[in-house]
Amino acid sequence: MKLAAKLVLLFLGCLALVVGVFSFLSLRQARELALADHERHASELAATLQSALSSPRIQNVDQILLAWSREVQHVQVRLVNPEDPLNSARRPAVPTNLVVRSTEVITLLYPSRTGQNMMYSYIPLNDTSGTKLEVAAPESFSLDRLGNSLRNSAIALVAVSAATSIVILLGGMWMVGRPLDQLVEKVHRVGQGDLSGPVELHRGDELGKLGEAVNEMCTQLDEQRKRIASETAQRLQAVEQLRHADRLKTVGRLAAGLAHEIGTPLSVVSGRAELIASGKLSSADVQESARTIKTQSQRITTIVQELLNFARRKAPLRERGDLNQLLLETIRLLQPMSDKRAAVITLRPFETETEAGGALAEFDASQMQQVFTNLLVNALQATGEGGKIESSVELVPMAVPPQDVGDTGGEYWRISVRDNGVGIAPEAINNIFEPFFTTKDVGEGTGLGLSIAYGIVHEHGGWLAVQSELGQGSQFDLYLPRNVH
Ligand code: ADP
């Protein structure tokens, strides 16, 4: 129900209550006044008729009273004697016990034989027989006037109430309902994230102030939103820069191994070119040498391309891809580095007849490769000469993922990297995912690798877990949801 209608109902309810109480009190007061009036009139009448009433010729008195009653029609006056039960003509209209002992003037309200409410006044006379003057008048005679005036007042009141109700209803709808509708609509829009279009009430009352406050709130929210957006953009840019720096650091590490990788085909190319240039080769040998040069140059191109691909800054892009394939490519990229350290990286890919296309998931290949690289480079650094690094891709059910992942259970890809390296000290294991935490020498470690890997994996709805024993080796498990979010 509309506010204005409720106000009208409340107003009418209160009015009805006040009018009811007022009428009840007025009626009671009028009744008391009528009784007092009646008693006063009766006493005045008794005083006026005193001389006649004190006459011993009571018969005459009756006639006087009868004549008087005929004149004043609504009042009946007669002599009664409640102490003389034998004379029924002089019995009072009310039960005798109510008046018999009284020596004072008494006035009673009592129903007559016809059921009409009558006011009876009994005035004792100055004789010893107990005779009293009974003055009776219908109560309605006095109350009718009050009833009329009450009725007129009620009609006026109803008219005023109706007019007031209409004014409240229309005024309420115009002054309260309309601006409230505008405010509600505005609040709905704000709830849906639309802060544009201020609410325009143009009024100086409380609702106008509320509208201004809502507009101001929206302006502030908008400013905050813009500030948060700009801060988020800056933060993302900083994260991206850190990630890129981390990639370049890996490129630097790989470059040392790649010099050797490129060196071998380059010397083959240069040797073959020299042979061709000497002019001593038959045309078949020239062709053969040219083919070798082509193959070796392609090998160099591939190696350089892979490195450039890894180093290049790319816009984030999530696509469905094969985790087996990506891990294999990463291991290949790190081959020169592992060769240099005489370490072996093996891969046990996920294989099943039903899973066509390998270990499929949705991920950003460039970011995920950075994660794999960080885990594998750490393992290589931890193992040193003759290290053994085993990697695998498996599908595991996970009923309840860790709390901070906030995901429902389901199937997850688990990419594990195990090494037989130095392991991680128990006091350090809780800190390894923190940015800039490193136990490596200056120039060897920046402490960014694992924190970046942690961030990337979380963005993909997964998480990283680690188990390690000092001197025995470490195992990093990377979990990624199988199903796309
Ligand atoms: P950085 O490699 O530059 O130090 P990371 O964030 O990659 O930074 O690693 C943080 C620390 O975690 C390393 O300094 C090292 O102490 C520890 N750590 C990471 N991976 C391994 C591992 N496979 N074996 C032993 N310690 C490791």
Side-chain angles (χ1 to χ4, degrees), residues 249 253 374-375 378-379 381-382 419 422-424 432 434 437-440 444-451 468 474 476:
K249 180 197 76 183
R253 279 189 187 141
N374 284 347
L375 295 180
N378 275 346
Q381 286 179 325
D419 66 62
V422 291
I424 305 168
I432 57 169
E434 283 172 16
F437 176 85
T438 182
T439 56
K440 296 171 191 168
E444 268 285 287
T446 57
L448 283 177
L450 284 183
S451 71
S468 184
S474 314
F476 283 83

Side-chain angles (χ1 to χ4, degrees), residues 320-339:
R320 208 156 172 76
D322 181 4
L323 290 165
N324 278 341
Q325 187 60 32
L326 188 69
L327 190 55
L328 190 68
E329 277 171 24
T330 314
I331 292 171
R332 210 183 301 141
L333 188 73
L334 294 175
Q335 194 72 48
M337 195 175 167
S338 57
D339 287 350

Side-chain angles (χ1 to χ4, degrees), residues 236-250:
L236 286 179
Q237 208 179 353
V239 168
E240 191 42 49
Q241 275 169 0
L242 272 181
R243 286 181 185 172
H244 192 61
D246 180 63
R247 293 169 79 80
L248 291 182
K249 180 197 76 183
T250 310

Side-chain angles (χ1 to χ4, degrees), residues 256-334:
L258 284 181
H260 172 73
E261 275 286 287
I262 294 172
T264 316
L266 259 185
S267 32
V268 174
V269 168
S270 122
R272 292 292 176 137
E274 263 174 41
L275 276 177
I276 294 170
S278 69
K280 293 175 190 160
L281 296 181
S282 63
S283 66
D285 286 343
V286 169
Q287 276 183 5
E288 164 62 23
S289 291
R291 265 197 295 275
T292 310
I293 288 173
K294 192 182 168 204
T295 320
Q296 294 304 318
S297 336
Q298 271 170 350
R299 200 177 145 203
I300 295 169
T301 312
T302 311
I303 293 168
V304 172
Q305 198 57 51
E306 275 178 3
L307 190 67
L308 285 179
N309 269 348
F310 181 77
R312 199 180 321 131
R313 198 193 283 251
K314 290 179 203 136
L317 173 69
R318 279 196 201 177
E319 280 176 330
R320 208 156 172 76
D322 181 4
L323 290 165
N324 278 341
Q325 187 60 32
L326 188 69
L327 190 55
L328 190 68
E329 277 171 24
T330 314
I331 292 171
R332 210 183 301 141
L333 188 73
L334 294 175

Side-chain angles (χ1 to χ4, degrees), residues 405-427:
V405 176
D407 202 342
T408 46
E411 281 186 317
Y412 281 79
W413 292 112
R414 180 168 63 198
I415 298 99
S416 305
V417 176
R418 273 178 302 280
D419 66 62
N420 59 349
V422 291
I424 305 168
E427 63 273 15

